[in-house]
Amino acid sequence: MFSRWNWVACGFYLLLNICSPEASGGLVQSCGHIIPESPVLALGSNFTALCILNESCLDFGNIYANQIIWKIKNRLVPKEQYREINRTVSSVTFNDTSSLATPLTCNILADGQIEQNIYGITVTVGLAPEKPRNLSCIVHQLSRLRYPMTCTWNPGRHTFLDTQFRLRYSWPQETFPDCIPKDVNNSCTIPDVQFFVNTEIWVEAANALGKAESDPLVLDPVDIVKPLPPHNLSVSSGILPTVLKLSWENRISDAVMKLKFNIRYRIIGDRNWMEIPSEDTASPRTSFSVQGLRPYTEYVFSIRCMKEDGVGYWSDWTEVKAGITTEDKPSKGPPIWRVIDASHSPASWTVHLMWKALKPFEANGVILQYEVTVRDKSSLSSPLKKYNVTSTNHTLQLPNGTYEVTVIARNRIGASPPSVLLIPASNSKAPVKNLRTLPKHDKLWVGWTAPNSYVLKYVIEWCLVSSSSDCIIEWQIALGDVQGIDLKGIKPFKCYLITVYPLYADGQGSGQSVQAYLKQDRPSKGPTVQTKKVGKAEAVLTWNHLTVDEQNGFIRNYTILYKTIDGNETVVTVDPSKTEYTLSSLTSDTLYTVRMMASTDNGSRSGPDFTFTTQKFGKGEIEAIVVPVCLAFLLIVLLGVLFCFNKRDLIKKHIWPIVPDPSKSNIAQWSPQVPAKHNFNSKDQMYPEGSFTDVSVVEIEADDKKSFSEQDLKPFDLLKKEKSTSEGHSSGIGGSSCMSSPRQSVSDSDEGETTQNTSSTVQYSTVVLNGYRDQTPVQVFSRSESTQPLLDSEERSEDHAGGGDSTAQRQQYFRQNGGQDETSTDRPCFERTKQITHANEGDLVGFVQLQISGQSSQPLGLGMEKNTQEAALSNVLQTSTEGQTVRPETVEENPLSVDEMPKSYLPQTVRQGGYMPQ
Amino acid sequence: MAAADSPSAALRRRDLCSRGIRLAGKMRADVVDLLDAYVERQGLDASASVAAVEGVPPAAVERWDEQTGTQRLLENLAAYRAFRALLAQMLEEQREQLGDADAALGRALAAVLLQVSAFAYHLEELLRLESRGIPGEEGAGPPPPPRLSLFEQKLRGLGVLRELAQWAVRSARDLRQLAKPSPAAGSAPGLAESP
């Protein structure tokens, strides 16, 4: 209990002691202090600090040195480093100051628990300065009188302390102010120095831990001068074209130093400097003549200087100054070559002479003109031809022969040596061998093997091969002892045609050519493939070669890739020279996709896809089917025809029975007046126009057409009116043969069809007859195609001639046939009869009309016919009267029957006594 | 001449002579330049006649070629010590008159003063090599200058610089004469330096 109160009292006292101004004589009075106070320590050294307690604190607060603890920046120092010297002093020792930090505090543990700070110090750890090394000085000339000296040195390691450097210099009897560096610790500049006195220079470095001096440098500042370069450099050309004179001013007095110089120069545009030998400029001077220069060439010069004895520093180079030498005559003739065009005429050449402009160092001035001389070597008497040309080419028209061409370049000073080119009549000499190329970076090397004979020189021609422009020839001459040159300016991915000609003393060798690329790439596009022909199992593909501009390299091969929609792709490689390929073993009737790829050494590119479908049948398959079928059919038909022909009697018997000649029948004695008594029906009713549509008209010609009665021709008139296309002629009875169906005779009348349908089984022919062998003609004769003999009909006709029901049947039949007749069906039969009686003249006209139309082939309408009938009637009547003396009489005797006979006779006959349709 | 017997002493002597000759040449060049600047800055006539400066031995002497080396060195040393004092006084007066307004002239004066001091050092070293005692400066210095007017100060400054220019020429000739191999030594090659 006592102890606790004792410690509390002690802590209170400490607090009072620390805070009481009265007790401390100031604001704070500590219970102790540390020795040393804020030391600066060498890094790595050992260090001991003492904490000394005040006696006053001991008595009042029971504080002793054994209660002291040491801390570094709030970190407790191990007690092994403590040592209690006496009851008021405690020490702490650090073997290496690198473990120290700020602050180092002395503390006390009051009552074993409460920690109270007694004192603290700041510890600075660093290094003593090292001896500055590598001191060197240089005097930079700033003007004619200003020579500041700058010295630099190596300050050594970092000291972690504030270290002062100062540059000191002195004469033996004079000391100068120190030079203190600003912002740096390794250099200082003395504003002005005096020459010709040895000056001692050294550097001092000092900090809290020590001081160090560099080794002294003893020198005469004049020996470390870097002078200003000469100025006002000028270049002037002299009399000689190879000399330029330089002049300048020095900016340092001879009294200070004598100078030597370096002069360098280069051609403008060249990067390499040339230098005048130093021994030529080792003495003081202000001018120098540079010799050995190229004429008419612009040079730039630069100069520098230093102390004559070589002690010191070179000045900077001056700014370059340019000068140009004067002109001289060209040093060599221009290289010359030619291109001969003999395409116009084999006996005449167009010679394109071309030469290269001289390089500047060869031209030695401005080339004013070229003098071209052409000498015909095959004819000694021919005069020299001279041309003055300002360009670098000239075209001549020369007869085929051997020529010597000379070109001289001329400038303001003089002429060049001549360049001679021999143009032989033929390039009959040996060519170069083994011409080859090899890309070398951006140049293309062309090499060859020399011929066996001595070659003066080689001409290498090359041109860019392009489909869009002409091959513009470039050329170069190589000496005869080389076997390869580098071509410059070659573009990559372009095809070049290179030709090498050897030139001999007495002629020229033929050129050898090679195509080359500097660099190859894959083609810029692929070939476009298409089919030329597609079969069942094969397809012929065709394509065009890529243009040389599209190739970008040598096409090594083409690759054809084709596949069906769902099939695997098939690849075929094709030689690059081909433009056609046949795909075989294809599947028929299948869609194929094909594309084509062109390949160079550096890659490939495909063209567009093309699709085609193979055919279902192969070539000849259809023919193989169709032709036999046709042949079989024809064979069958032929056999049928032969069969018919063989069996024609049988066939004829069945389908085309022999029709008896009516003229030979006993009906030949039949009088036309007989049926007239039955002619009580109207003609229209008996023969409606439609009834003729199923009738073949057979005209039996007699000796005299005029012998036709007008009544005989009446049906033609009617036919003509309605079926102008159905005219037919037959040589006899049966003109509508067994091969022709009744329908073929009547083609385009619906009425007729209707009529035929109605009377399908009864067909008739109308036979118009002249009088046969002076017999009384039977004017109209209709034949039934019924197989029933007509004679039977006649017999029946006679049997039924007087029967009243037969009349009724006939009327019924014709009414049925004439149902389509527009004009006659509504009229009564007797009325029609009267009209017909009056239309007798019109029938005659109709006959005439038939004849006219046959001549003029100009059909006339029915109305028009009637209009013209009256006008022509008198003539017709007259003609008829003259031609036929019998018929008018017949007409007069029975005009009505004559009028009706052609239309109504046979049916009347048949229906009166012959066959009747069932 | 005892020291001249050793090769190092001869080399040192030759080096001192060489530097002295070149220093004299530079000093003359600088003094000539300074004369132009001084005349201009002080508003004087370059052709003005100036009386001889007191305390400075005249540069022109009779029988110059008959003088010994030591005699030459002693005369030179006396003259340059006088010049050093006069130039220091001129520099002080110039600073008083112009302050820092004409620093270039002050720098040029200071530079010439330094060269005079350096040349005096060369002479002393040569005298040391000659094994001759170096006279003290107390008696060799010029008498204390009387209090002069400003114009008189300018004229005296002009006279000092003119005399210094002449002495620079003579000193170069003296040192060249000294640098010639003496008959006794015979080993030191002559120098072809010119001021």
Side-chain angles (χ1 to χ4, degrees):
Chain A
M1 188 67 183
F2 172 78
S3 175
R4 179 178 294 178
W5 280 111
N6 192 20
W7 278 109
V8 170
C10 177
F12 183 71
Y13 172 76
L14 277 175
L15 190 62
L16 283 176
N17 206 8
I18 291 171
C19 299
S20 169
E22 188 180 355
S24 63
L27 288 174
V28 174
Q29 181 178 5
S30 174
C31 261
H33 63 279
I34 297 174
I35 296 175
E37 176 73 37
S38 299
V40 177
L41 306 175
L43 194 65
S45 63
N46 58 20
F47 171 64
T48 299
L50 302 174
C51 184
I52 303 169
L53 299 175
N54 292 341
E55 291 288 339
S56 57
C57 294
L58 295 178
D59 298 337
F60 188 79
N62 291 328
I63 298 170
Y64 300 101
N66 59 358
Q67 296 167 330
I68 288 175
I69 58 172
W70 293 87
K71 280 189 168 183
I72 300 172
K73 207 174 184 180
N74 298 328
R75 181 168 53 84
L76 195 64
V77 177
K79 292 202 172 182
E80 292 78 19
Q81 296 178 230
Y82 302 171
R83 192 165 70 90
E84 183 183 352
I85 294 175
N86 56 35
R87 66 186 193 113
T88 60
V89 178
S90 173
S91 71
V92 63
T93 300
F94 300 92
N95 290 328
D96 188 350
T97 52
S98 60
S99 62
L100 276 171
T102 294
L104 173 66
T105 57
C106 171
N107 307 276
I108 194 161
L109 271 177
D111 201 17
Q113 294 176 351
I114 301 173
E115 182 181 315
Q116 288 292 332
N117 177 256
I118 299 298
Y119 202 78
I121 60 171
T122 299
V123 178
T124 303
V125 179
L127 294 169
E130 281 188 317
K131 178 181 173 182
R133 302 177 195 283
N134 300 333
L135 175 63
S136 65
C137 298
I138 181 170
V139 175
H140 290 279
Q141 183 191 8
L142 295 184
S143 67
R144 192 176 182 87
L145 297 174
R146 289 192 64 196
Y147 297 92
M149 181 173 70
T150 300
C151 293
T152 58
W153 60 89
N154 179 2
R157 67 189 177 190
H158 183 45
T159 62
F160 308 104
L161 299 174
D162 182 21
T163 303
Q164 293 290 328
F165 287 86
R166 58 182 62 220
L167 178 68
R168 310 190 70 177
Y169 67 106
S170 68
W171 289 347
Q173 81 288 8
E174 186 117 17
T175 301
F176 299 99
D178 294 341
C179 177
I180 298 175
K182 290 179 182 176
D183 305 325
V184 294
N185 63 357
N186 66 341
S187 74
C188 194
T189 299
I190 298 168
D192 202 2
V193 293
Q194 296 301 318
F195 297 140
F196 311 118
V197 184
N198 280 337
T199 307
E200 185 176 5
I201 306 167
W202 71 98
V203 178
E204 275 185 11
N207 64 12
L209 294 176
K211 188 167 80 173
E213 285 185 2
S214 70
D215 292 333
L217 198 64
V218 180
L219 50 82
D220 185 345
V222 79
D223 291 336
I224 54 171
V225 172
K226 180 181 181 183
L228 285 171
H231 69 151
N232 294 337
L233 176 65
S234 64
V235 183
S236 57
S237 56
I239 299 172
L240 295 174
T242 58
V243 174
L244 285 174
K245 183 180 180 184
L246 308 184
S247 300
W248 63 88
E249 294 176 16
N250 296 320
R251 287 194 278 187
I252 194 165
S253 162
D254 276 352
V256 175
M257 66 174 69
K258 293 179 180 176
L259 298 172
K260 67 175 181 180
F261 302 89
N262 272 169
I263 298 172
R264 65 178 183 179
Y265 62 98
R266 60 182 166 88
I267 297 172
I268 277 188
D270 197 349
R271 298 178 63 182
N272 299 320
W273 286 100
M274 294 167 282
E275 198 160 316
I276 302 292
S278 58
E279 58 267 23
D280 292 353
T281 54
S283 58
R285 63 184 61 237
T286 56
S287 66
F288 188 81
S289 290
V290 183
Q291 303 178 29
L293 303 177
R294 290 176 183 166
Y296 199 63
T297 304
E298 189 171 15
Y299 290 87
V300 291
F301 296 88
S302 180
I303 187 171
R304 66 177 181 175
C305 63
M306 76 175 297
K307 198 152 150 271
E308 186 184 19
D309 57 7
V311 179
Y313 299 91
W314 281 105
S315 71
D316 294 328
W317 289 101
T318 61
E319 293 290 320
V320 295
K321 194 74 179 178
I324 186 167
T325 50
T326 55
E327 286 188 64
D328 195 3
K329 63 182 180 182
S331 61
K332 61 176 284 190
I336 181 172
W337 185 233
R338 87 294 174 273
V339 172
I340 297 175
D341 182 4
S343 59
H344 301 299
S345 166
S348 175
W349 285 345
T350 301
V351 180
H352 302 282
L353 294 175
M354 46 195 181
W355 53 90
K356 290 185 182 293
L358 291 172
K359 292 171 183 168
F361 64 88
E362 297 166 338
N364 292 340
V366 179
I367 299 299
L368 302 175
Q369 68 176 22
Y370 298 94
E371 294 173 5
V372 181
T373 306
V374 180
R375 186 164 69 90
D376 187 352
K377 293 196 77 172
S378 52
S379 170
L380 296 175
S381 60
S382 61
L384 286 175
K385 294 178 182 175
K386 288 189 176 182
Y387 309 91
N388 290 330
V389 184
T390 55
S391 63
T392 56
N393 56 70
H394 188 61
T395 300
L396 297 169
Q397 296 290 339
L398 298 172
N400 191 343
T402 299
Y403 297 92
E404 185 182 83
V405 179
T406 304
V407 176
I408 292 171
R410 184 177 290 279
N411 65 9
R412 193 169 55 86
I413 304 299
S416 72
S419 292
V420 180
L421 175 69
L422 182 68
I423 302 177
S426 63
N427 298 340
S428 55
K429 303 289 182 181
V432 298
K433 294 175 277 190
N434 193 21
L435 183 61
R436 59 205 179 275
T437 62
L438 185 67
K440 279 185 178 176
H441 303 294
D442 59 340
K443 291 180 277 192
L444 187 65
W445 179 81
V446 180
W448 58 87
T449 302
N452 295 327
S453 307
Y454 174 72
V455 177
L456 282 179
K457 49 191 169 185
Y458 298 95
V459 175
I460 301 96
E461 279 185 358
W462 70 94
C463 70
L464 194 154
V465 183
S466 171
S467 56
S468 58
S469 61
D470 293 335
C471 199
I472 299 171
I473 290 177
E474 297 179 74
W475 57 279
Q476 185 174 338
I477 287 181
L479 295 177
D481 55 351
V482 302
Q483 296 191 13
I485 61 163
D486 290 327
L487 302 184
K488 297 175 184 175
I490 301 294
K491 298 175 185 173
F493 318 130
K494 300 290 184 187
C495 181
Y496 283 86
L497 178 66
I498 301 164
T499 308
V500 177
Y501 298 90
L503 302 186
Y504 300 93
D506 56 348
Q508 176 181 313
S510 58
Q512 290 289 302
S513 296
V514 66
Q515 281 192 331
Y517 284 87
L518 177 64
K519 252 187 207 176
Q520 294 191 50
D521 195 4
R522 62 178 189 152
S524 55
K525 63 176 285 192
T528 302
V529 65
Q530 56 187 356
T531 53
K532 182 179 179 184
K533 187 178 174 187
V534 178
K536 181 182 176 184
E538 70 283 328
V540 180
L541 302 179
T542 183
W543 62 90
N544 291 326
H545 285 305
L546 295 177
T547 64
V548 70
D549 296 326
E550 296 165 345
Q551 290 179 7
N552 292 340
F554 293 114
I555 300 296
R556 298 304 183 193
N557 57 56
Y558 290 120
T559 306
I560 299 173
L561 306 101
Y562 64 98
K563 63 175 181 178
T564 58
I565 289 177
D566 52 353
N568 291 331
E569 194 168 61
T570 306
V571 178
V572 178
T573 302
V574 182
D575 188 88
S577 62
K578 297 195 172 158
T579 58
E580 190 174 304
Y581 185 79
T582 302
L583 299 179
S584 56
S585 303
L586 303 178
T587 308
S588 63
D589 196 21
T590 304
L591 180 67
Y592 279 89
T593 302
V594 62
R595 65 192 163 91
M596 196 156 182
M597 194 162 66
S599 302
T600 65
D601 291 339
N602 285 52
S604 308
R605 195 181 289 273
S606 296
D609 286 352
F610 181 80
T611 57
F612 65 90
T613 305
T614 50
Q615 292 184 354
K616 193 168 186 176
F617 298 101
K619 180 182 177 183
E621 282 187 2
I622 294 176
E623 289 82 348
I625 295 171
V626 171
V627 169
V629 168
C630 293
L631 288 174
F633 177 75
L634 288 173
L635 187 62
I636 291 169
V637 169
L638 187 60
L639 291 175
V641 169
L642 289 173
F643 179 78
C644 291
F645 184 76
N646 288 334
K647 301 297 184 182
R648 65 182 181 280
D649 295 337
L650 187 63
I651 293 170
K652 189 175 180 182
K653 182 178 177 183
H654 281 89
I655 64 175
W656 191 0
I658 297 172
V659 178
D661 187 356
S663 63
K664 293 179 180 177
S665 70
N666 53 5
I667 204 168
Q669 283 79 34
W670 171 77
S671 172
Q673 285 77 16
V674 176
K677 61 184 179 184
H678 303 290
N679 199 14
F680 51 88
N681 290 326
S682 163
K683 185 177 74 176
D684 289 340
Q685 285 178 323
M686 293 174 68
Y687 300 104
E689 291 178 359
S691 64
F692 287 96
T693 58
D694 289 341
V695 174
S696 296
V697 179
V698 178
E699 183 179 20
I700 300 173
E701 292 183 354
D703 295 337
D704 188 4
K705 287 182 179 180
K706 294 178 181 177
S707 62
F708 288 120
S709 67
E710 293 173 358
Q711 292 78 5
D712 293 338
L713 296 173
K714 188 76 173 193
F716 285 111
D717 187 29
L718 294 172
L719 281 171
K720 183 68 180 177
K721 290 175 181 175
E722 294 193 5
K723 305 182 195 71
S724 61
T725 59
S726 61
E727 282 185 77
H729 295 275
S730 179
S731 58
I733 297 172
S736 59
S737 67
C738 70
M739 296 301 289
S740 61
S741 68
R743 185 182 176 93
Q744 286 175 318
S745 301
V746 183
S747 61
D748 54 357
S749 171
D750 293 336
E751 294 175 4
E753 274 189 54
T754 307
T755 306
Q756 184 186 353
N757 292 336
T758 308
S759 58
S760 59
T761 58
V762 180
Q763 297 181 353
Y764 297 90
S765 292
T766 301
V767 179
V768 180
L769 293 175
N770 254 336
Y772 177 71
R773 294 179 181 177
D774 298 330
Q775 292 179 4
T776 302
V778 180
Q779 294 176 341
V780 174
F781 181 79
S782 296
R783 182 183 63 82
S784 168
E785 292 186 358
S786 169
T787 56
Q788 195 168 358
L790 186 58
L791 291 178
D792 294 343
S793 300
E794 289 172 353
E795 289 171 1
R796 287 186 185 179
S797 172
E798 287 177 358
D799 293 341
H800 298 286
D805 54 345
S806 67
T807 305
Q809 282 181 345
R810 186 182 60 242
Q811 285 181 340
Q812 183 181 1
Y813 170 78
F814 280 104
R815 191 170 291 121
Q816 187 177 6
N817 283 350
Q820 301 297 326
D821 191 345
E822 295 178 358
T823 57
S824 61
T825 48
D826 296 337
R827 294 178 181 177
C829 296
F830 288 106
E831 187 179 344
R832 297 278 303 240
T833 304
K834 287 179 183 176
Q835 288 175 349
I836 291 169
T837 305
H838 294 294
N840 189 16
E841 295 176 357
D843 292 339
L844 292 173
V845 171
F847 175 59
V848 173
Q849 184 66 34
L850 180 65
Q851 289 180 324
I852 292 171
S853 66
Q855 293 173 355
S856 65
S857 70
Q858 183 175 6
L860 298 171
L862 182 60
M864 290 185 65
E865 288 177 1
K866 285 185 178 178
N867 292 334
T868 55
Q869 279 169 5
E870 293 179 356
L873 182 59
S874 57
N875 295 333
V876 171
L877 287 173
Q878 188 176 358
T879 305
S880 302
T881 304
E882 292 174 358
Q884 293 182 350
T885 55
V886 179
R887 282 201 177 170
E889 293 175 359
T890 307
V891 169
E892 287 174 358
E893 286 178 3
N894 191 359
L896 182 61
S897 64
V898 169
D899 187 22
E900 290 179 347
M901 280 306 287
K903 297 178 181 177
S904 60
Y905 174 69
L906 182 57
Q908 280 185 334
T909 305
V910 170
R911 282 161 192 130
Q912 285 174 356
Y915 172 77
M916 289 290 290
Q918 300 300 316
Chain B
M1 290 291 176
D5 295 334
S6 69
S8 62
L11 199 63
R12 171 76 173 149
R13 185 167 176 270
R14 185 186 161 207
D15 178 59
L16 283 170
C17 288
S18 169
R19 287 179 191 281
I21 292 166
R22 294 167 68 184
L23 179 57
K26 182 171 189 302
M27 190 162 54
R28 183 180 181 277
D30 288 352
V31 168
V32 169
D33 289 343
L34 179 60
L35 264 174
D36 294 339
Y38 186 84
V39 168
E40 182 185 347
R41 295 289 176 185
Q42 303 291 355
L44 298 174
D45 185 0
S47 60
S49 175
V50 180
V53 179
E54 291 182 13
V56 178
V61 291
E62 292 181 359
R63 300 175 184 172
W64 171 82
D65 53 347
E66 295 177 2
Q67 284 186 326
T68 64
T70 304
Q71 202 173 357
R72 297 174 191 276
L73 289 172
L74 288 173
E75 281 192 9
N76 272 272
L77 182 60
Y80 281 95
R81 280 179 173 172
F83 282 125
R84 186 165 59 190
L86 290 168
L87 286 170
Q89 186 180 356
M90 282 176 64
L91 190 60
E92 185 67 25
E93 291 169 355
Q94 193 266 341
R95 282 176 183 155
E96 287 177 0
Q97 294 165 17
L98 302 175
D100 293 333
D102 200 344
L105 186 62
R107 280 201 301 271
L109 271 174
V112 169
L113 175 57
L114 276 176
Q115 291 173 35
V116 169
S117 297
F119 197 78
Y121 164 73
H122 276 98
L123 295 173
E124 288 170 1
E125 287 296 302
L126 283 170
L127 281 170
R128 233 177 249 119
L129 287 174
E130 296 284 340
S131 302
R132 297 301 297 257
I134 301 171
E137 291 197 44
E138 293 80 15
R147 193 67 188 171
L148 299 176
S149 66
L150 182 60
F151 183 70
E152 289 170 333
Q153 289 177 4
K154 291 181 180 179
L155 281 182
R156 192 189 59 179
L158 181 61
V160 169
L161 293 178
R162 281 182 177 171
E163 194 66 28
L164 179 56
Q166 291 181 11
W167 262 106
V169 175
R170 178 186 164 176
S171 298
R173 294 180 66 191
D174 285 334
L175 291 180
R176 198 171 289 115
Q177 193 71 21
L178 282 170
K180 285 181 180 175
S182 62
S187 59
L191 294 175
E193 301 283 352
S194 63

